[in-house]
Amino acid sequence: MSRVFSEFLFRGAGRKITLPALCALLAGGGAGCQRKSPAAGPPEVNLDGFDPKIAAAIQQARSAVIGAPKSGAAWGQLGSVFRVHKFPREAVASYAVAETLDPREPRWPYFTGILLLAYDPDAAIPKIERAAELAGDASTAPRLRLALLLIERGRLDEAEKHLQGVLRLHPDDPQAVLAQGKLDLARGRLPEALQSLERSVASPHTAKVSQVLIATVQQRLGNSAAADEASRKAAGLPPDPSMADPLLAETAELAAGKDASIDRADRMLKRGEIEPALALLERAVADYPDDASAWQTLGWGRYREKNYPAAEKALRRALELAPDSAETHFELGLVLFTQGQPTAAAGSFRRSLKLRPDYPASHYNLGMCLEQFGDRAGAIESFSAAIRYEPNSAEAYKRLGANLALEGRFSEALEPLRRAVEMSPSDASAARMLERAKLRAEQQKVGPSP
């Protein structure tokens, strides 16, 4: 459910709270919450119909508070358990008690501010300011988030003070460097903004937003060609991940249930932690045997493990449960191709594209299959489509240029091969292909020797 609407439907209990009521509850610093006495007991929620693991996690956290009603840490933990399971009102009430009992802990006002951000950033600022003050240099996450909020609100002098404190400790943090670029842009200091943004664009955590802002700066500087190039690069980049936040990361592990297990395993796979991810996923498919996403993620994990028969089995089970998943058909195609079954793999990639015609990875891998069949015309069409939907793929440009050259279309091969070399200067094979294509294109212009 979108967090931008002015009403939030509370799960389980079916209650609604309007934006003004939520803001009053959150921003009141406890006007409605901090007067709550621990003796009143922890908030209760209706858990009928919930994943039993989520219900158990909430009940365990409530029991800890009942057992230690004057423990700020127990109340804060309960607040975080409510927050990660999307019970914001109960989370705020719990954090408010935690803040009363443990007033020097920055986490409780910080997490309250985080809850408010999607509804009313102005009301979130005092909470995050309090957290930044309490955290000091021990954790710069509240200060960095505060600086970004203040830049957005046009409070630039305050933002600069907080941001300089972060950069003093972490001068190469890409989020902080990006924030400096935003601050300089807001102040009209365009060369300084460009300098910071050209640093932050190198990080995969800030690349897309940095490219968008570089385009803005270059346009304001009158460099239209550079602005267009930055816009083109930005369009081909995936969305930046959420801002790294160690304090929030601490509470992510509190999430229970199917989705939390799959998300946790997926993060492990991305970090290369294959064995623990697979153990978690095997438990997930045992607990939720009819969930397609659990089987799909297990299949991807087995592929990463290079256990291709097990990967195929898991992905086929996922498709039995959810046959219209373009991603699962694509992943099955990869497994089949890796096992030396290009015909079957091509069928999977085509099914993926029928469901999602703009899927660049399926276009690219279908092209690889067609290359093996000797269908160069089909491969050229597939690699061209991959580039159309993902214009920053050096490999797609390289394969397109190679197939055009094999078809004797050397002049047409030059541009994709040039792009491949520009994007991947260390690729010696692409550079050799380009030089051969140049030579043959010149020979075609001159014509055969008399």
Side-chain angles (χ1 to χ4, degrees):
M1 183 175 298
S2 172
R3 291 173 177 262
V4 302
F5 294 114
S6 62
E7 287 189 307
F8 188 99
L9 177 63
F10 287 86
R11 295 167 58 179
R15 293 168 288 132
K16 285 187 178 180
I17 185 169
T18 62
L19 175 60
L22 181 61
C23 292
L25 183 64
L26 291 166
C33 298
Q34 289 188 358
R35 288 198 299 267
K36 180 181 176 65
S37 166
E44 294 187 61
V45 291
N46 181 0
L47 295 170
D48 291 346
F50 272 72
D51 185 315
K53 292 183 181 297
I54 293 176
I58 292 174
Q59 295 294 9
Q60 183 178 359
R62 290 189 75 255
S63 295
V65 167
I66 292 169
K70 295 185 179 180
S71 168
W75 278 96
Q77 181 91 338
L78 177 61
S80 293
V81 169
F82 278 133
R83 179 173 57 78
V84 299
H85 294 113
K86 307 297 187 296
F87 288 98
R89 184 163 75 174
E90 289 78 5
V92 170
S94 300
Y95 285 141
V97 178
E99 195 173 347
T100 300
L101 295 169
D102 193 6
R104 303 305 302 171
E105 173 54 61
R107 287 170 175 78
W108 317 142
Y110 185 54
F111 295 154
T112 302
I114 292 295
L115 281 167
L116 188 52
L117 276 177
Y119 301 93
D120 188 346
D122 286 330
I125 287 175
K127 284 293 185 184
I128 298 177
E129 281 179 330
R130 176 63 177 159
E133 176 188 348
L134 291 170
D137 289 349
S139 174
T140 57
R143 206 182 312 174
L144 177 56
R145 197 177 292 273
L146 176 60
L148 289 166
L149 273 170
L150 293 170
I151 292 169
E152 291 173 2
R153 315 315 288 175
R155 294 162 59 176
L156 304 184
D157 290 341
E158 297 170 76
E160 187 155 27
K161 179 185 71 172
H162 291 292
L163 183 56
Q164 289 309 307
V166 177
L167 287 167
R168 173 175 54 82
L169 295 168
H170 306 291
D172 297 321
D173 180 279
Q175 291 286 354
V177 174
L178 172 60
Q180 183 65 59
K182 290 181 176 181
L183 178 62
D184 287 332
L185 177 57
R187 288 194 181 281
R189 301 189 301 220
L190 301 184
E192 293 87 346
L194 190 59
Q195 186 177 21
S196 292
L197 294 169
E198 286 175 345
R199 289 176 59 203
S200 62
V201 78
S203 169
H205 300 287
T206 52
K208 190 178 185 78
V209 171
S210 297
Q211 283 287 13
V212 170
L213 293 177
I214 287 171
T216 300
V217 172
Q218 292 287 19
Q219 193 66 48
R220 292 189 187 178
L221 288 170
N223 302 327
S224 297
D228 290 344
E229 177 68 8
S231 295
R232 183 190 64 77
K233 289 180 178 178
L237 290 171
D240 294 334
S242 300
M243 187 179 93
D245 190 322
L247 294 181
L248 287 179
E250 293 174 1
T251 64
E253 298 304 309
L254 297 173
K258 171 181 66 69
D259 292 340
S261 294
I262 295 171
D263 290 345
R264 195 171 296 128
D266 189 54
R267 290 194 297 271
M268 289 178 179
L269 290 173
K270 288 174 181 175
R271 294 194 299 262
E273 300 168 6
I274 307 298
E275 288 188 15
L278 288 172
L280 188 57
L281 289 165
E282 289 289 0
R283 289 197 297 273
V285 296
D287 290 339
Y288 309 98
D290 296 326
D291 186 78
S293 60
W295 284 104
Q296 179 190 355
T297 312
L298 176 61
W300 183 243
R302 292 298 180 195
Y303 175 79
R304 293 285 306 276
E305 186 194 29
K306 300 184 180 179
N307 186 344
Y308 304 123
E312 180 180 350
K313 181 179 178 181
L315 291 169
R316 290 196 184 280
R317 175 58 178 152
L319 286 171
E320 289 175 5
L321 296 165
D324 293 335
S325 169
E327 290 76 11
T328 310
H329 282 292
F330 162 71
E331 290 171 4
L332 178 60
L334 282 183
V335 171
L336 294 169
F337 187 80
T338 306
Q339 293 182 100
Q341 303 176 49
T343 302
S348 288
F349 294 134
R350 287 191 171 103
R351 283 188 285 276
S352 172
L353 290 168
K354 186 174 181 181
L355 293 162
R356 183 179 159 188
D358 63 347
Y359 203 162
S362 288
H363 283 293
Y364 176 85
N365 284 280
L366 177 58
M368 296 295 288
C369 293
L370 296 174
E371 273 191 348
Q372 290 205 4
F373 305 151
D375 181 1
R376 287 197 288 270
I380 287 168
E381 182 179 350
S382 290
F383 291 128
S384 297
I387 290 166
R388 185 162 62 251
Y389 297 117
E390 174 47 83
N392 289 324
S393 172
E395 280 298 314
Y397 280 110
K398 177 180 172 179
R399 300 314 313 162
L400 174 59
N403 280 275
L404 287 167
L406 288 169
E407 286 282 280
R409 297 158 62 180
F410 298 106
S411 295
E412 293 176 67
L414 293 178
E415 180 58 24
L417 289 173
R418 284 195 190 101
R419 294 296 298 277
V421 171
E422 287 172 6
M423 295 170 130
S424 184
S426 62
D427 188 339
S429 64
R432 287 194 297 270
M433 287 181 192
L434 176 58
E435 290 308 311
R436 286 197 296 268
K438 285 179 180 177
L439 179 62
R440 297 300 301 275
E442 286 299 319
Q443 290 173 345
Q444 282 184 335
K445 284 182 183 178
V446 172
S449 300

